[in-house]
Amino acid sequence: MNAMLLAVALSLVSAVAYAAAAVAQSRLAGRIEPGTGVLRMLGRGAWWSAVGLNAAGALLHVAALNYGPLTLVQPLGALTLVVAVPLGARAAGRRVGRTEWRGTALTLLGLGALLMAAGGSAPHETLTLPEALGVGAATMAVVAGLGRPGARPGLRHAAASGITSGVASALTQTLTVAVTDHSGGPLFSWRLLTVALLVSAFAMGGLLLSQTAYRGGLGAPLAVVTLANPVAAAAIGLALLGERLQGGPVSLVLALLGTAAAVRGVILLSRAQARNADPGEVVPEGSAPVDPVPSRVVIGSPRPAAVPEPVAVRAGGAPHP
């Protein structure tokens, strides 16, 4: 089989595994308290199911990176969104909304444009040790900035997850190319050991960040992860690994248009996620859900002589007859 076709086939199966893992993580995130620590989460079987699916997707992704360049393999991860959005809606017991379909379609069209602009040669260059350390330091600085308190933490954590996963893929390609290289170089070296440690750290960091991002819903955070991942990996491939866009300036324009379409798709998915949080009112991310039906609350207090009985009131404060 042609190397490029094999890379595409492996990427497709990897996307399905990642989609199932994303849905599992989203369901787990909806069942745990926001302050739940990592150690308590490790005791849940659902967490390990998500880890297993992510591991399967990662292994297939690594195999794909051995046959295709970053600019080809990474955008194919957009198919994760195609599978995960309807799968997540079904798990939540609802239908996929029109806005979600539009957002998914725009995100996929944008990433498809990036895929068309990608180069088609098999990978052959690797990161040097200073380059790997520089990439690692820059990634940690960006993730630290995205992790600061502020608005829309779910989308910011999703962006951080996508970036760390994309960087992990770029570093993984250095490992796979170096290990399968038959030039006679040493199989074990400080460079490869350092890169392997960085891959492990960023892969686990991306998994934990995505778990946090999915607490507010699946569609918009997954779209951000899906967009940030190939952009981060492609930036490394173009800047440090000698990869090139096909077609020169035309491909650059196509890539920019694709990025704009994908960003628009993420915005639509974010709006749909807010509406799904509360059909009657858009709830800001991180706020407590509002019960649409007034509830009866009995307010009890020490009984002064003038108040013989407690008064039943509605949640809004009006006495209940």
Side-chain angles (χ1 to χ4, degrees), residues 29-30 33 39 47 58 63 90-91 110-112 116 153 158 181-182 195 199 218 229 234-235 260 271 278 291 308 315:
E33 296 295 330
L39 291 179
W47 164 257
R90 181 176 180 181
L111 289 170
M116 291 176 63
D181 185 16
H182 300 289
V195 170
V199 168
L218 180 64
N229 187 314
R271 291 175 180 173
D278 186 349
D291 187 356

Side-chain angles (χ1 to χ4, degrees), residues 130-200:
E131 288 173 341
L133 291 174
V135 167
T139 303
M140 286 186 282
V142 171
V143 170
L146 291 171
R148 297 176 63 183
R152 295 200 174 275
L155 296 185
R156 288 187 290 105
H157 287 151
S161 174
I163 290 170
T164 53
S165 298
V167 171
S169 294
L171 295 171
T172 298
Q173 188 176 70
T174 287
L175 284 178
T176 58
V177 172
V179 169
T180 57
D181 185 16
H182 300 289
S183 61
L187 184 59
F188 297 100
S189 64
W190 283 112
R191 178 179 70 116
L192 295 184
L193 179 60
T194 302
V195 170
L197 291 174
L198 288 173
V199 168
S200 301

Side-chain angles (χ1 to χ4, degrees), residues 1 3-15 60 64 76:
M1 181 183 291
M4 293 300 104
L5 291 178
L6 185 57
V8 170
L10 290 169
S11 297
L12 297 181
V13 183
S14 172
L60 292 164
L76 287 171

Side-chain angles (χ1 to χ4, degrees), residues 17-18 20-21 24-25 45-59 207:
Y18 277 134
Q25 284 184 267
W47 164 257
W48 289 109
S49 297
V51 170
L53 288 167
N54 272 302
L59 290 175
L207 182 63

Side-chain angles (χ1 to χ4, degrees), residues 52-262:
L53 288 167
N54 272 302
L59 290 175
L60 292 164
H61 186 72
V62 168
L65 287 171
N66 191 46
Y67 295 101
L70 284 166
T71 49
L72 171 70
V73 173
Q74 292 301 120
L76 287 171
L79 292 173
T80 299
L81 192 63
V82 177
V83 179
V85 168
L87 195 61
R90 181 176 180 181
R94 62 176 180 83
R95 292 184 178 181
V96 180
R98 183 178 301 175
T99 303
E100 287 178 295
W101 281 126
R102 287 175 57 202
T104 301
L106 279 172
T107 304
L108 291 174
L109 284 173
L111 289 170
L114 293 175
L115 181 61
M116 291 176 63
S121 59
H124 59 277
E125 294 190 27
T126 60
L127 296 173
T128 64
L129 181 57
E131 288 173 341
L133 291 174
V135 167
T139 303
M140 286 186 282
V142 171
V143 170
L146 291 171
R148 297 176 63 183
R152 295 200 174 275
L155 296 185
R156 288 187 290 105
H157 287 151
S161 174
I163 290 170
T164 53
S165 298
V167 171
S169 294
L171 295 171
T172 298
Q173 188 176 70
T174 287
L175 284 178
T176 58
V177 172
V179 169
T180 57
D181 185 16
H182 300 289
S183 61
L187 184 59
F188 297 100
S189 64
W190 283 112
R191 178 179 70 116
L192 295 184
L193 179 60
T194 302
V195 170
L197 291 174
L198 288 173
V199 168
S200 301
F202 287 140
M204 181 55 67
L207 182 63
L208 294 175
L209 285 166
S210 64
Q211 180 68 53
T212 304
Y214 294 151
R215 284 175 181 163
L218 180 64
L222 181 58
V224 173
V225 171
T226 305
L227 178 61
N229 187 314
V231 169
I236 295 173
L238 293 171
L240 300 175
L241 296 176
E243 297 184 7
R244 296 289 181 267
L245 296 176
Q246 299 184 94
V250 176
S251 291
L252 180 59
V253 172
L254 185 63
L256 291 175
L257 291 174
T259 301

